[in-house]
Amino acid sequence: MLDIDLHVRVDVDRWIAAQNDLGVCDAIAENAQVGKPSAMTTPRAPKVAGIDSTVPSPPHTAAPLGAPLSAQVSAVPPGTPLQDRLAGWVSDLTLLQELTESLIRTATLDEALHELLRAGAALVGARRGMAVLEPADGLGPASTVGLGLAHAELGTIETVPRSVTSHGRILDGLDPLTEGSLPRPVAVPDLRSEEDLDPRLREVAARLGYAASYALPLATAEAGKLGAVVWLYDEPAEPAERQRHLIGLYGRFATEHLARLLEVERARVRVATVAEELLPSRLPRVPGVQLAARHRTGPRGGGDWYDALPLPEGALGLAVGSVTGSGPSALAAMGRLRASLRAYAVMEGEDPVAVLSDLELLLRLTEPARSATALFAYCEPAARRIVLAGAGHAPPLVVGEHRTEYVETSLSAPLGMLACWEAPSVELSPAPGETVLLYTDGLLRRTGDAMDRAFARLHAAAASVPRADRADPGAVADHVLRTLLPDGPDGPDTAAGDGEDVVLLAARFE
């Protein structure tokens, strides 16, 4: 146990308790006494992580000329080195807590990599950097992001042979390993003084204006090797030992966070792949109508779907729907429901009410705990005639030169909600050049607005389609998505949307 004077211990305890509420600098000011300062309350420069504050000369250092010995002894307050160490520890821990809290709030790999670059640059005292995500298992995804580097500058760095760059040596395992077979950081304090430096690396460094680098592996024993990050200095420099320690701690935490996001991203990709495989691989070509579809799977994988299938006598069946729930079970139910609807459409597609009635009976008998919404339209492109019925689904939207309006469908409950479902169908005749938009509720919920407001926004987005784009149903669908969802269907989830699927099916009649 340290032999610390009682006055020192009490003063340190007061200072630690105060800094928890006030911060390091405020705590020092709060505990400063009025009048002649004591040894423990003398104002000092605040500690900054990675930068040593001014430390007074040790007691054995010679005093300035003319200073008496008594002044030299009294100039060193007792307990000052301990206070400095405590202030440094608290400052470092506070900074690491702030940086890790910012990192943990990131929800995607790109966000996490950018936050890692920003925080690491502050810790090592650099201005620019580059992070390379390249999981060692080869399953991806792989990406490269930069801090203070334009896309062209990142491309310039990538023209350097990877084996001669500091981050490349980490990624390729060309340097000795630490305990546990993990790569070590690579510091190049002065690129200009390196005699054996690769000519291409020297040329790129001179062109981009950096003179030193510090590369950190993104690797832990639990997560494995995920990639590397390198920070670039404008002048010859190298992180101090304390800075290396802090960036090492932060780097290990960042690697674990990236590993979790990596698993989430891989799961999302797998769910999206399954969902796409359950939907039409291509849309049919039927004379008199042009088709386009847009589908985006939410992060949890929902049960929204669409379908378009040619029917006898030149007819066309269009369908959209949504199954309750999310995840693999909802995807499986969506696949079963879509396959059943296709069979019913082939047998009695000219009667949409009969198709949905059969689908409701199947759903009630095979999956009584699940409900679904659906809309089926029987189209005769040559006659520009559509007969449709909906079960708890949003009404279609007709977009044309002279009108943008919702189709008035009958109010009906979703499938599986009533003992016997049946609702009348409606018929409409789109004019030449008009586009009929079928969509799921996920498109409306992604806006984050109340449903009436979301319907109004969808109507406004469809009405604002430029005249030059109205001849292409794909351009119409893209314009609606861009206008309705400024961040895109793959953008950040809204609180109300909760990352639901987005389905939009456009049919333009000639």
Side-chain angles (χ1 to χ4, degrees):
M1 181 173 179
L2 295 176
D3 186 12
I4 304 176
D5 182 74
L6 179 61
H7 173 72
V8 174
R9 291 202 301 269
V10 172
D11 208 1
V12 169
D13 291 340
R14 288 179 53 204
W15 179 82
I16 293 177
Q19 66 85 26
N20 288 331
D21 295 326
L22 303 175
V24 175
C25 298
D26 294 338
I28 294 176
E30 178 72 15
N31 284 273
Q33 297 180 3
V34 180
K36 183 177 180 180
S38 66
M40 287 301 297
T41 57
T42 302
R44 301 189 54 80
K47 298 284 290 184
V48 179
I51 303 177
D52 292 332
S53 62
T54 304
V55 179
S57 302
H60 61 269
T61 303
L65 294 177
L69 182 60
S70 59
Q72 173 186 346
V73 174
S74 62
V76 182
T80 295
L82 176 61
Q83 182 183 8
D84 286 341
R85 293 179 64 186
L86 288 173
W89 292 339
V90 172
S91 177
D92 292 345
L93 290 175
T94 302
L95 179 60
L96 283 177
Q97 180 184 5
E98 294 174 354
L99 295 179
T100 53
E101 286 178 350
S102 297
L103 180 64
I104 206 68
R105 285 194 291 268
T106 58
T108 65
L109 287 172
D110 277 354
E111 289 178 1
L113 289 173
H114 281 99
E115 177 62 24
L116 167 61
L117 281 171
R118 185 196 65 79
L123 289 175
V124 303
R127 188 172 60 90
R128 294 179 289 175
M130 180 177 70
V132 180
L133 183 66
E134 192 175 294
D137 56 14
L139 300 179
S143 64
T144 301
V145 301
L147 172 69
L149 296 171
H151 183 73
E153 293 174 322
L154 290 175
T156 301
I157 295 176
E158 291 178 348
T159 63
V160 179
R162 197 159 96 159
S163 59
V164 303
T165 63
S166 54
H167 65 280
R169 301 209 303 264
I170 292 175
L171 293 172
D172 297 336
L174 302 179
D175 287 337
L177 304 178
T178 59
E179 295 181 4
S181 300
L182 296 177
R184 298 185 301 183
V186 178
V188 184
D190 190 356
L191 287 168
R192 302 165 187 168
S193 64
E194 293 284 336
E195 298 180 356
D196 299 331
L197 192 67
D198 183 90
R200 179 58 183 166
L201 177 58
R202 190 185 303 275
E203 176 188 351
V204 169
R207 179 186 302 179
L208 300 183
Y210 68 89
S213 65
Y214 184 75
L216 183 75
L218 298 176
T220 63
E222 295 78 10
K225 294 194 295 184
L226 302 183
V229 58
V230 58
W231 290 278
L232 308 176
Y233 296 88
D234 296 340
E235 299 294 338
E238 182 179 5
E241 181 179 356
R242 190 173 184 179
Q243 291 174 307
R244 290 177 183 242
H245 178 67
L246 289 176
I247 193 60
L249 293 175
Y250 181 77
R252 286 193 288 274
F253 179 85
T255 301
E256 296 294 338
H257 181 61
L258 286 171
R260 291 188 290 270
L261 293 179
L262 188 64
E263 288 301 317
V264 172
E265 176 64 17
R266 288 176 175 177
R268 189 196 67 79
V269 171
R270 288 193 292 267
V271 168
T273 302
V274 172
E276 292 297 330
E277 291 297 325
L278 291 173
L279 296 175
S281 58
R282 60 189 180 120
L283 296 174
R285 293 187 176 183
V286 177
V289 64
Q290 301 177 44
L291 300 175
R294 299 292 183 265
H295 173 248
R296 299 294 182 271
T297 303
R300 296 183 300 171
D304 288 15
W305 53 276
Y306 69 93
D307 204 353
L309 67 157
L311 297 174
E313 301 180 358
L316 174 69
L318 300 177
V320 291
S322 177
V323 177
T324 56
S326 61
S329 63
L331 289 175
M334 177 264 285
R336 293 190 294 268
L337 202 66
R338 172 179 170 267
S340 301
L341 186 142
R342 289 176 70 92
Y344 298 143
V346 171
M347 293 186 295
E348 46 191 2
E350 66 279 358
D351 186 358
V353 173
V355 172
L356 293 185
S357 296
D358 294 341
L359 194 63
E360 194 276 337
L361 178 60
L362 176 70
L363 185 68
R364 184 157 43 89
L365 294 177
T366 59
E367 301 185 53
R370 194 181 296 276
S371 63
T373 66
L375 186 145
F376 178 74
Y378 177 79
C379 308
E380 296 176 343
R384 292 196 303 277
R385 174 176 175 268
I386 301 176
V387 181
L388 61 87
H393 206 80
L397 181 62
V398 179
V399 182
E401 186 71 24
H402 304 291
R403 63 170 176 169
T404 300
E405 61 185 25
Y406 289 103
V407 178
E408 293 186 6
T409 58
S410 58
L411 187 63
S412 171
L415 301 175
M417 298 291 290
L418 302 177
C420 181
W421 178 91
E422 185 171 344
S425 60
V426 297
E427 182 176 333
L428 68 148
S429 298
E434 288 187 332
T435 300
V436 178
L437 296 179
L438 309 180
Y439 52 93
T440 59
D441 293 346
L443 175 63
L444 302 173
R445 293 195 178 97
R446 277 287 186 101
T447 64
D449 294 330
M451 199 57 66
D452 57 344
R453 172 63 177 164
F455 274 115
R457 289 185 56 185
L458 175 58
H459 183 278
S464 65
V465 175
R467 179 173 299 180
D469 293 339
R470 299 201 175 197
D472 181 4
V476 173
D478 291 336
H479 175 85
V480 169
L481 289 177
R482 285 195 305 268
T483 307
L484 197 62
L485 310 175
D487 294 325
D490 297 322
D493 301 332
T494 61
D498 198 23
E500 294 194 15
D501 290 4
V502 172
V503 167
L504 185 60
L505 178 61
R508 181 182 184 273
F509 290 84
E510 299 175 352

